[in-house]
Amino acid sequence: MKLTRRDFIKISGTATAGLALNGMGLDLRPVEAYSWELRTRDAKETPTICCYCAVGCGIICHTDTKTGKVIYTEGDADHPINQGALCAKGASVYQLARNDERVTEVLYRAPYSSKWVAKDWDWALKKIAGNVKKSRDASFVAKDEKGRVVNRCEGIASVGSAAMDNEELWVYQAMLRALGLSSIEHQARI
Amino acid sequence: MSGKSFLIDTSACMACRSCQVACKAWNRNDGTVTRNRGSHQNPPDFDGNTFKLVRFREVRAGNKVSRYFFSDQCRHCIDAPCKDVIDSAVTGGAIQDKATGAIVYTEKSKGAPFKDVRSECPYDIPRQREDGTIVKCTMCIDRVSNGLQPACVKACPMGGLHFGDREEILARAEKRLATLKAKYPKAQLLNVETVRTIYLVVGDPKEYHKFAVASANPGVTRKVALRRMFGPAIDALRTVARG
Amino acid sequence: MTNHWIDLRNSDCILVMGSNAATNHPLSFRWVSKAMEKGATLIHVDPRFTRTSSLADIYAPLRSGTDIAFLGGMIKYIVDNQKYFHEYMVNYTNASYIVGSKFGFKDGMFSGFDSGKHAYDASAWDFEKDENGNVRKDPTLQHPRSVFQLMKKHYSRYTPDTVSSITGTPKEDLLRVYKAYSATGARDKAGTIMYAMGWTQHTVGVQNIRTMSIIQLLLGNMGVAGGGVNALRGESNVQGSTDHGLLFHILPGYLPVPSASIATLAEYNKKFTPSTKDPLSANWWQNRPKYITSFLKAVYGDNATPENDFGYGWLPKLQEGKTYSWLDIFDRMYDKQYTGFFAWGQNPACSGANSNKTRQAFSNLDWMVVVNLFDNETASFWNGPGVDPRQVKTEVFMLPCAAFMEKEGSLSNSGRWAQWRYKAQEPPGHAKPDGDIMVELFNEIRELYKKPDAKSAFPDPILNVKLDYTAQGKFDPHAVAKAINGYWTRDALVGGKMYKKGDQVPAFGLLQSDGSTASGNWLYCQSYNQDGNNMARRDNKDESGIGLTSKWAWAWPVNRRIIYNRASLDLTGKPWNPKKAVVEFVGDVKDGKYVSTKWKGDVPDGPWYPLKNPDGTDRPDGKKPFIMKVDGVGAFVGPGLKDGPFPEHYEPIESPVKKHPFSNQRNNPVAAVFRSERDVYSTPSDRFPIVGTTYRVAEHWQTGVLTRWLPWLLEAEPEVYVEMSEELAKAKGIRNGEKVVVESARGSIEAVALVTVRYKPFKILGKQVHQVGLPWHYGWVWPKNGGDSANLLTPAVGDPNTKIPETKAFMVNVRKKAEV
C-alpha cells in the first residue's frame, strides 16, 4: 500500500518543529512567530474503510508507534469517493477505537441469573460448542415427511452480520451451512 | 494584508456535522452531555469543549421551507477585540500568529476577565472551561502550520468549507457569490473586510443566527478603543496593580 | 447499485425517493452536488422536508406508502407525452413481447390468483410463444396484448388527480417532477434514482423498485453514465454479506439454496440453469453449473468429488413452501421452535419490526450467543424493562469482538467495490476479530463431532467442510480471500494455456463444472488472482473521464464499474451519448462490417460484437445488453414476482384509508402477515389516526449499537424524538421539546416532541391526514435517558417477495405524556 498526501496545502512560513498545541495547555511565549508541532507527526498511518454506511469512504488511522494505539483518525485524501472528507459518523471513529465502554471480556449470564460474569474464551467456546451440538442433535431433520433428504438443523437460528468483512462472512456461512442451518439471515432482510 | 482565511459557503451545507465532530476529534475535546430540546442543534451552544457548532434554523413561507444551516466558529478577526481584552489583562494570554493571522488563546487566558472577553466578541464566540481557560477555534494552527487543512475544512463532504491564502479565498468568495446571486438575489458575504472566517449566506443573515454578522459595533467598543489608545500603559498599570 | 457513487456526478436529473441521502449517505452528496454544479436537477420526494429536500430544486411531499401511485402516474405521463426513448425501448426491453391471453387484470387483482393458496400462479402472465417456443413480438407495439399496450392501459388509471388524491402530493408538484424527470428520455440525457429503505420497507417494496425500473427502461437510463437503479445500502458491508449468501435463500454468488425436491446436483443444475433458443441472448446464467460446482469445491475441498456429487448432499435443503426469513425466524422463536440463537454483529432487540415480540421471543431460547463491541439490548434482554431476570432461563454469552480497524480484510460498498482495509491497532482486552471467534468455535464443535457419540446427528458436513484458513494460529483473511476468488484444484489445460494446481483462477470465465476449479464466490473471481490482491489497489487516477477510477480497489463483476453498460450503446456499438461514453465498440471495419472485436472504456458486459454492423446489417453473433436476463432484454412485465406482473397501488397494511380510488383491493393480496397474539394490525380508526414512519439521523447508525456509545455523536442526537407538524402539535396541545407518548397497536414509546414546519398535514381523498416520524437508533441500555427503539411500534408484516417488514408506513397516535 502506498500513501500519498494530497491534502497538503501550501503554507508560508512553515515551521519544522516546535510547540505542541496540547489543548492550549502549554505556556506560549509572548512573541508572534511560532512553530507548532503536529501531534500525529510520528504516528504510523494505516488506511481503512469506514464501518458505517455503504458509501465506503477511506479513513486513515494514525497509530502511536510506541503504544500501538490509534491516536487520531481522519478521511483518506487519496480515496476517490470521499477525497479526505467524512460525515459526522466517519469523523468519530476514533472514539470507537478508544472507548472505555467497549466489552473487553467474555461475559456470561447463567440461566435465571441477574448478572454478567466474566469468563475466559476457552471455557465459553467449549460451552457454546456443547450447546450447539445439543441443539443440533435434538433438532436435526435428516429426511422430510416425504422421505426426501434435507439434512437440516431446525433448532438454531443465526442473524448477522453486514458489519463483518467478506472473508469472515464467507467462513461464517460455510460454518452455519455445515451445521445444517436454514435459518440464516442478516441486516439485508430488514 | 496576507495570511489565511476561511470561506464558509452555507448554501452547500447539509448539516451533516462532520465539521463539528472533526473539530472535536482533532482538538481532543470531550462530548457534551445534552438533551433534545426540540431542536437538532446540539450542543445548544458553544461550550468549553465545542469550538465548532452547526446551528439549525427553519422557516416556512407558504409551501416553501427554507433551512438555514450555519457552521459557526471563530472569525479570527483581522483586528481582534478579544485579544485586546486578554492582552490588557495578561501577557501572552492570546496571540496572533503572524503567518496565518490566527487568533489563538493560551493557558494564560485564565487570567483574563472572561465576561469581558466574551462580550467584546462581536460574534459571541469565546467560552470558558472549568479551569478558567478561555477557548475557541484555533484555526487548527498546529495543522495549518504543518501544511495541513484545518480539520473541519478537510472533513466537509460538500466542499462548503474552504481555507487558504486570504487573496485566494477572497477571490473564491466573490466568484461563488456571483454564481449564487443568480438564484439567490439576497446572497451576500458577511463582514468580509474585518474577519478571516468569511460566511456566504443566501438569505437574511439574522435568519441563520443572531451573531452571524457582527453585533452592534464590530471590532472596537469604547472600552477597547481606550485600551488601544493607552495600550501598554494601561496593561502595565494593571499588571502592577495585580502584582 | 448498477452504477457507483462517483457516477452520480454524470447525471442530468437525480431523483431521491425512498431515501434521505443527504442525511444517511452524506458523502453521496459530494457527487450529487458536483452534478448540480453542472446544471443537473435534484428532486426529492418524501413525506418530510429533509436535509436532502433543502438542497433540492424540486421537493414534492407524499404520504408514506404511496410511491407506486406517484410513479405509476409518471409512467402514464411518459407514455402519454411520448417522452420515452423509443429506439432503446424497442430494442432493449420486452415492450414488444406479446403476453398470453390468460393475462387479465380486474379491480386490483391480476389473473391467476388462487384464493385457497392465497397466491398467484404466475404462469397466467406468461408470454405467448410460437411453434418453436420463441416469444411472439410486435415491434410496432400496437398489438393490444403487447407489453407496451398492456402497460399503457394499466397505468391509464393513474391520472394526476387520482394520484394526487391518494399520495397527498399537490398536483402541480406531481407534474413538475414528471416533467423534469421524463426529460431524461433524450438520448444524451441520463436520470438516476437514489433509493433506500424508504422503498424496500413496505408490503409493496419490490414493486416500488420495479415501478422505477420500468421508468428507467422507458427513458433509456439503464447502463448509461449518470443513470441506473441505485440502492443506497445502509451497512458498510451489506453488499458483501448479500453477495456471500448470509441469507436463507441464496448461497454465495446468488446461487439459489437447494430445496427438498432437488435431490442431486444434476437436478439442481437442470432447475436453475436457464436456456434460450435466442442466439442473440448471452443468457449468463447458463454458466450456473460451473459456479455451483466451484462453490462446492471451495466449501468441501478435496472431500468434494464427482462420485459424491461434490458434497451437494451435505448442504441443508429448504422445505418447499416454507421460508426462513427474518420475520419467520422471530415468529418461530416466539413459538418456541428454536433452542439456540446467534446474534452475530447485530442487535435484533431493536432492529426488527415489532421488537416487543422479538424481545419476548428471546426468553424462549435455551441459549443465545451475542458477538458485539458494546453491550446492547439483545445481549442484555433478560435485564430489560419489564423483564424479571429470575424468570428468564436463556443462557447468554456475550463475546467481545474487534472493531474494524483492529483486523484486516475486505468489504464491498454499495457500488460493488471490494476494498481492502488494514489493521491499525490490537483489539482491547480479550476482544478478538470475528474471524478468529468463528474458526475457534467451529473447531470446538468439530472436536465434539469427531468423538464417537450415538447422539451425533449427521457429522459428515461438519467433518468434511474445509475451514483451515489460519496462519500462525490466527484467522488469515488472505487465505480466505484467495479461496473466494478461486484456484485450480489440479493441473488443467484451458484454451491452450496450462494452469497449475493451486494457481489462482484469473477470472470467472475460466471456472469449470468438472471440479478442476474451486471458487467460494464466482462473482469475486478476479478479486485476488495471479496479479495479487486487486481489492487493495490504491491507484486513484481516472482515465475514463467519467470517474470510473478503475484501478482503485476492485468491483464485481470483473471490475465492471457500470453494469449493463452495453445498453449505453446504440445497435452498432456507439454510445448514445458520446460525451459520457461508458464503453464503446472500436473493432476494425471492412466494407461496412465489423471484422474484429475491440472495446474501450469500462469493462463491457461481455466481449461480443454489437447487434449491428456499421452498415446497419444484423450480426448473428451480436448480443443483447441485459445479459443476466434469459432473453437479454429489460423487463417491463416481470413474471418472477409473487404479487403481479405490473406494480399496482395497494395501501400499507396499516393505513388511514379504508378504500382507495384504484380498486377495491385495499392491501397487497399476498403480503406476508403473521398471526401470533403479538401481531396486531390496526384498521382505520380514531385510535391510531396518524401515519407513522421511521428513519435515521446522520450521527447514528442503525440501532445505535455503536454510535450511542460515542460521546461526539451522542451529544448531537442524544435521544429519541418524534417529528410532527405545527398543525398536529396544536391539535394535540403539544409544545415543542416536551415529552410525548407515541403508541401503535403493538407498543408505545416516549419521545421528545420536535414540532417542525418540515411536516405538513396531507390532504388524502379530501380529508386531512397527519404523519409523524421517529428515528430508530435508540435503546434502553444506553444512554440511560435516551428512550427506546421506534421498532416497538412497527408491524411484523412483509413484502411477499423479500419478506422485508413494512416499517416505513404504519399507524400511531401521539399524546402528551401527562395524559392517561
Side-chain angles (χ1 to χ4, degrees):
Chain A
M1 114 197 96
K2 186 167 149 272
L3 297 177
T4 61
R5 293 300 298 265
R6 296 204 314 178
D7 54 340
F8 271 102
I9 56 168
K10 284 194 304 247
I11 183 93
S12 47
T14 303
T16 48
L19 301 170
L21 192 71
N22 273 336
M24 274 59 65
L26 276 191
D27 182 14
L28 296 164
R29 288 160 299 161
V31 293
E32 298 203 342
Y34 301 94
S35 55
W36 308 82
E37 191 174 283
L38 199 65
R39 69 181 175 90
T40 50
R41 193 184 62 177
D42 299 323
K44 178 173 180 283
E45 295 185 14
T46 307
T48 182
I49 302 293
C50 182
C51 64
Y52 293 117
C53 85
V55 173
C57 297
I59 292 176
I60 299 287
C61 294
H62 297 261
T63 305
D64 185 298
T65 49
K66 290 193 193 79
T67 63
K69 298 284 185 195
V70 170
I71 56 166
Y72 181 59
T73 59
E74 63 183 326
D76 181 348
D78 290 333
H79 197 284
I81 296 176
N82 61 306
Q83 299 175 322
L86 289 172
C87 73
K89 285 194 296 297
S92 73
V93 299
Y94 166 78
Q95 288 194 322
L96 210 52
R98 303 292 297 278
N99 193 307
D100 291 342
E101 304 297 328
R102 290 267 300 267
V103 180
T104 55
E105 305 251 31
V106 173
L107 299 177
Y108 175 69
R109 184 263 175 186
Y112 308 108
S113 166
S114 300
K115 62 178 195 298
W116 290 113
V117 181
K119 293 285 187 183
D120 65 53
W121 277 103
D122 191 53
W123 180 90
L125 293 178
K126 282 195 163 60
K127 187 124 172 53
I128 296 166
N131 285 353
V132 167
K133 183 166 189 301
K134 191 175 167 202
S135 287
R136 182 179 182 273
D137 290 349
S139 69
F140 200 81
V141 180
K143 289 183 179 173
D144 70 2
E145 287 169 355
K146 292 180 183 166
R148 300 175 302 187
V149 175
V150 293
N151 286 334
R152 204 165 55 220
C153 164
E154 298 204 327
I156 303 175
S158 167
V159 300
S161 169
M164 290 198 273
D165 290 348
N166 284 324
E167 295 71 29
E168 295 167 333
L169 292 163
W170 193 88
V171 166
Y172 192 49
Q173 67 81 31
M175 160 182 156
L176 295 177
R177 292 192 161 109
L179 295 176
L181 263 67
S182 292
S183 301
I184 301 171
E185 286 282 275
H186 77 277
Q187 287 92 336
R189 192 76 70 184
I190 52 175
Chain B
M1 179 205 328
S2 59
K4 299 288 175 186
S5 283
F6 292 89
L7 170 63
I8 299 186
D9 175 4
T10 61
S11 76
C13 183
M14 58 179 174
C16 75
R17 290 194 266 211
S18 71
C19 53
Q20 187 175 313
V21 174
C23 175
K24 296 214 164 195
W26 179 253
N27 291 302
R28 288 176 282 187
N29 282 341
D30 292 340
T32 302
V33 176
T34 59
R35 299 302 304 261
N36 189 317
R37 302 147 296 110
S39 167
H40 288 292
Q41 182 179 313
N42 242 334
D45 200 356
F46 288 127
D47 58 41
N49 279 308
T50 307
F51 308 162
K52 180 84 177 172
L53 178 70
V54 179
R55 299 183 185 275
F56 290 64
R57 293 285 296 275
E58 56 190 39
V59 180
R60 180 182 273 273
N63 273 335
K64 175 132 180 58
V65 177
S66 299
R67 300 188 79 176
Y68 299 107
F69 303 129
F70 194 79
S71 175
D72 201 2
Q73 66 168 72
C74 173
R75 307 300 193 277
H76 295 278
C77 296
I78 307 286
D79 201 354
C82 64
K83 181 172 184 298
D84 290 337
V85 181
I86 294 173
D87 281 349
S88 68
V90 49
T91 308
I95 54 171
Q96 186 158 24
D97 179 73
K98 268 244 170 79
T100 59
I103 304 289
V104 184
Y105 300 164
T106 73
E107 197 167 62
K108 287 188 176 174
S109 64
K110 276 180 195 167
F114 169 66
K115 277 187 182 164
D116 289 352
V117 175
R118 182 171 172 179
S119 67
E120 289 305 323
C121 174
Y123 306 97
D124 192 37
I125 301 294
R127 293 295 185 273
Q128 193 171 29
R129 286 193 171 150
E130 279 178 12
D131 69 359
T133 324
I134 307 175
V135 291
K136 65 164 191 69
C137 163
T138 68
M139 197 190 268
C140 280
I141 186 67
D142 45 353
R143 289 176 62 90
V144 168
S145 62
N146 284 285
L148 298 175
Q149 294 273 0
C152 60
V153 173
K154 185 183 176 193
C156 178
M158 298 296 278
L161 306 188
H162 302 272
F163 182 81
D165 292 336
R166 183 165 174 84
E167 291 71 24
E168 204 180 292
I169 289 293
L170 288 175
R172 183 188 277 271
E174 291 297 340
K175 195 173 163 209
R176 182 71 182 147
L177 177 66
T179 307
L180 286 172
K181 277 269 189 190
K183 195 172 169 190
Y184 306 100
K186 284 186 192 162
Q188 56 183 293
L189 299 168
L190 304 182
N191 298 103
V192 65
E193 298 299 329
T194 54
V195 297
R196 289 186 184 275
T197 304
I198 300 160
Y199 283 86
L200 173 48
V201 299
V202 296
D204 179 357
K206 292 283 176 199
E207 295 282 14
Y208 287 79
H209 173 43
K210 188 179 167 192
F211 295 102
V213 283
S215 59
N217 187 11
V220 189
T221 64
R222 254 185 59 204
K223 203 159 57 178
V224 172
L226 271 173
R227 277 195 196 117
R228 281 200 188 156
M229 227 177 287
F230 301 101
I234 284 192
D235 286 348
L237 281 172
R238 273 192 179 227
T239 312
V240 170
R242 285 193 176 188
Chain C
M1 291 171 92
T2 57
N3 295 42
H4 61 100
W5 296 106
I6 296 170
D7 181 63
L8 292 167
R9 81 175 202 208
N10 294 316
S11 194
D12 297 293
C13 188
I14 297 163
L15 173 61
V16 184
M17 189 167 172
S19 153
N20 173 15
T23 288
N24 297 316
H25 300 85
L27 265 296
S28 70
F29 260 67
R30 184 176 188 83
W31 300 103
V32 171
S33 68
K34 291 197 192 302
M36 293 175 79
E37 280 168 22
K38 288 183 280 180
T41 304
L42 174 66
I43 303 169
H44 191 219
V45 181
D46 200 90
R48 170 183 63 136
F49 189 96
T50 68
R51 296 180 195 177
T52 302
S53 320
S54 67
L55 295 164
D57 298 293
I58 304 172
Y59 165 71
L62 99 165
R63 173 173 62 96
S64 275
T66 60
D67 302 74
I68 290 174
F70 189 104
L71 296 173
M74 176 130 65
I75 294 174
K76 177 177 164 55
Y77 180 93
I78 292 166
V79 171
D80 289 353
N81 295 286
Q82 296 182 25
K83 296 289 183 186
Y84 46 81
F85 186 174
H86 189 266
E87 198 179 344
Y88 184 106
M89 183 173 77
V90 171
N91 291 295
Y92 295 161
T93 76
N94 65 12
S96 63
Y97 286 25
I98 310 294
V99 178
S101 57
K102 282 198 287 178
F103 172 86
F105 177 76
K106 199 178 162 192
D107 197 21
M109 296 293 289
F110 294 92
S111 55
F113 188 69
D114 181 331
S115 52
K117 288 184 185 162
H118 223 75
Y120 282 109
D121 172 7
S123 70
W125 321 322
D126 277 352
F127 297 120
E128 199 164 281
K129 293 193 173 148
D130 64 19
E131 51 283 358
N132 296 321
N134 293 317
V135 175
R136 286 186 199 277
K137 295 166 196 152
D138 174 17
T140 70
L141 310 181
Q142 297 307 307
H143 190 290
R145 276 188 285 109
S146 68
V147 165
F148 183 76
Q149 291 298 330
L150 289 177
M151 180 166 63
K152 185 174 175 180
K153 187 177 165 200
H154 189 83
Y155 294 105
S156 64
R157 301 169 298 134
Y158 287 64
T159 64
D161 286 316
T162 311
V163 171
S164 173
S165 75
I166 198 75
T167 58
T169 313
K171 194 170 143 186
E172 59 275 17
D173 289 342
L174 274 181
L175 293 171
R176 280 177 76 205
V177 174
Y178 294 170
K179 186 173 177 215
Y181 197 78
S182 63
T184 64
R187 78 164 56 199
D188 61 345
K189 296 284 180 214
T192 191
I193 171 65
M194 298 167 72
Y195 76 91
M197 311 320 282
W199 269 0
T200 59
Q201 290 176 343
H202 291 281
T203 45
V204 292
V206 173
Q207 298 285 19
N208 281 335
I209 297 152
R210 278 221 65 214
T211 322
M212 192 65 209
S213 305
I214 289 173
I215 290 170
Q216 291 298 69
L217 287 172
L218 279 167
L219 298 173
N221 281 331
M222 294 303 292
V224 304
V229 171
N230 294 306
L232 314 184
R233 311 211 65 175
E235 300 246 358
S236 59
N237 200 22
V238 72
Q239 187 63 55
S241 53
T242 309
D243 298 340
H244 290 307
L246 265 168
L247 291 164
F248 84 88
H249 71 299
I250 45 171
L251 302 172
Y254 302 90
L255 306 174
V257 170
S259 49
S261 69
I262 311 168
T264 65
L265 184 57
E267 286 171 50
Y268 180 93
N269 285 332
K270 189 167 173 231
K271 183 166 171 91
F272 294 120
T273 308
S275 67
T276 173
K277 289 177 183 163
D278 184 350
L280 301 178
S281 173
N283 181 27
W284 195 263
W285 281 119
Q286 66 177 292
N287 295 304
R288 179 103 65 191
K290 300 171 187 171
Y291 305 153
I292 182 71
T293 306
S294 296
F295 168 73
L296 291 168
K297 280 298 288 180
V299 173
Y300 302 116
D302 293 340
N303 299 322
T305 63
E307 293 71 38
N308 68 9
D309 226 6
F310 297 107
Y312 174 82
W314 292 327
L315 284 179
K317 308 292 184 295
L318 303 176
Q319 206 61 33
E320 268 107 1
K322 198 171 168 185
T323 54
Y324 303 75
S325 74
W326 178 280
L327 292 176
D328 297 306
I329 286 175
F330 290 102
D331 196 53
R332 285 185 201 131
M333 193 184 292
Y334 186 81
D335 194 32
K336 304 183 177 159
Q337 295 185 35
Y338 298 105
T339 51
F341 179 58
F342 289 97
W344 201 306
Q346 205 167 356
N347 183 18
C350 292
S351 59
N354 199 2
S355 290
N356 277 319
K357 180 182 172 186
T358 308
R359 292 176 186 186
Q360 195 174 328
F362 292 152
S363 59
N364 293 336
L365 296 163
D366 289 345
W367 56 269
M368 173 198 275
V369 175
V370 179
V371 186
N372 224 312
L373 274 71
F374 295 98
D375 187 16
N376 56 70
E377 291 72 20
T378 301
S380 286
F381 82 94
W382 45 271
N383 208 17
V387 183
D388 177 0
R390 291 165 302 176
Q391 306 295 317
V392 179
K393 67 170 178 183
T394 314
E395 191 177 25
V396 186
F397 302 82
M398 166 88 209
L399 308 182
C401 62
F404 71 98
M405 76 289 277
E406 292 157 4
K407 60 186 182 184
E408 188 175 349
S410 73
L411 73 172
S412 303
N413 78 358
S414 207
R416 300 165 286 102
W417 297 10
Q419 306 190 84
W420 197 261
R421 58 185 177 188
Y422 299 85
K423 179 175 173 176
Q425 70 174 15
E426 291 295 331
H430 294 104
K432 289 185 186 194
D434 298 280
D436 289 281
I437 300 172
M438 59 186 70
V439 167
E440 289 173 26
L441 174 60
F442 186 74
N443 286 338
E444 294 288 352
I445 297 169
R446 175 140 53 185
E447 286 306 313
L448 295 180
Y449 277 95
K450 278 181 183 167
K451 293 175 196 157
D453 179 354
K455 284 191 294 224
S456 286
F458 197 52
D460 306 42
I462 297 173
L463 300 179
N464 285 309
V465 69
K466 177 177 156 50
L467 286 178
D468 54 352
Y469 301 109
T470 50
Q472 286 95 46
K474 297 278 184 193
F475 179 77
D476 179 7
H478 290 274
V480 186
K482 286 177 181 173
I484 289 172
N485 176 90
Y487 50 89
W488 298 90
T489 63
R490 55 178 186 251
D491 295 355
L493 186 70
V494 181
K497 192 167 163 29
M498 190 68 198
Y499 297 93
K500 303 292 284 180
K501 178 182 178 178
D503 284 354
Q504 293 297 102
V505 178
F508 58 60
L510 286 159
L511 292 176
Q512 307 293 321
S513 59
D514 61 0
S516 61
T517 56
S519 170
N521 187 337
W522 71 276
L523 269 181
Y524 283 73
C525 190
Q526 198 193 59
S527 62
Y528 203 133
N529 61 8
Q530 72 283 359
D531 298 331
N533 184 354
N534 292 315
M535 300 177 281
R537 297 185 303 169
R538 284 183 61 87
D539 180 347
N540 59 18
K541 277 196 296 295
D542 175 37
E543 288 158 1
S544 68
I546 56 166
L548 298 181
T549 60
S550 297
K551 291 177 185 165
W552 180 273
W554 176 88
W556 69 253
V558 289
N559 206 32
R560 186 173 298 136
R561 303 287 161 140
I562 294 178
I563 55 179
Y564 296 126
N565 54 32
R566 289 171 77 100
S568 70
L569 306 173
D570 67 16
L571 297 177
T572 68
K574 296 298 168 193
W576 299 119
N577 180 6
K579 284 184 187 152
K580 289 176 187 167
V582 182
V583 286
E584 184 175 357
F585 188 78
V586 290
D588 295 329
V589 182
K590 198 176 174 191
D591 303 329
K593 309 274 191 289
Y594 288 125
V595 292
S596 69
T597 52
K598 196 176 169 200
W599 290 86
K600 72 174 192 184
D602 195 8
V603 178
D605 251 315
W608 313 285
Y609 281 99
L611 291 162
K612 282 186 189 295
N613 284 308
D615 64 6
T617 53
D618 291 337
R619 285 200 73 99
D621 52 359
K623 290 284 179 276
K624 294 176 182 174
F626 290 91
I627 64 167
M628 303 311 282
K629 307 289 287 185
V630 64
D631 51 9
V633 295
F636 290 126
V637 160
L641 298 186
K642 292 190 164 62
D643 46 359
F646 288 120
E648 169 70 359
H649 171 77
Y650 303 112
E651 287 292 315
I653 294 295
E654 288 192 339
S655 114
V657 173
K658 284 198 183 82
K659 184 183 175 322
H660 65 78
F662 292 98
S663 73
N664 285 305
Q665 182 61 38
R666 181 170 175 267
N667 305 123
N668 187 338
V670 292
V673 291
F674 291 85
R675 300 290 177 208
S676 83
E677 65 273 18
R678 280 280 194 181
D679 289 297
V680 193
Y681 311 119
S682 70
T683 50
S685 69
D686 294 336
R687 200 168 157 222
F688 302 110
I690 302 166
V691 179
T693 195
T694 61
Y695 36 70
R696 300 192 285 151
V697 301
E699 295 80 3
H700 286 295
W701 183 69
Q702 317 302 50
T703 67
V705 66
L706 304 180
T707 51
R708 282 186 263 139
W709 300 91
L710 311 192
W712 295 332
L713 298 177
L714 190 63
E715 70 169 6
E717 291 290 355
E719 61 188 313
V720 64
Y721 58 83
V722 54
E723 285 179 313
M724 65 182 75
S725 69
E726 292 177 329
E727 292 84 351
L728 177 61
K730 194 175 170 198
K732 298 273 185 184
I734 291 168
R735 279 174 297 110
N736 185 37
E738 78 171 305
K739 269 275 172 74
V740 296
V741 176
V742 187
E743 50 202 348
S744 77
R746 292 156 297 278
S748 74
I749 64 168
E750 288 184 11
V752 175
L754 213 154
V755 180
T756 172
V757 297
R758 294 176 293 101
Y759 264 121
K760 281 297 268 187
F762 293 104
K763 198 171 170 196
I764 306 295
L765 299 171
K767 284 166 68 174
Q768 192 180 61
V769 171
H770 292 286
Q771 179 159 352
V772 299
L774 314 87
W776 57 281
H777 302 298
Y778 298 91
W780 59 269
V781 167
W782 183 260
K784 285 301 171 200
N785 53 12
D788 212 334
S789 175
N791 275 320
L792 295 168
L793 306 171
T794 57
V797 49
D799 176 279
N801 302 289
T802 61
K803 298 271 183 105
I804 290 177
E806 189 159 64
T807 45
K808 286 291 174 272
F810 50 95
M811 298 304 290
V812 298
N813 198 12
V814 181
R815 59 176 166 82
K816 287 169 81 81
K817 192 182 163 186
E819 288 175 22
V820 179

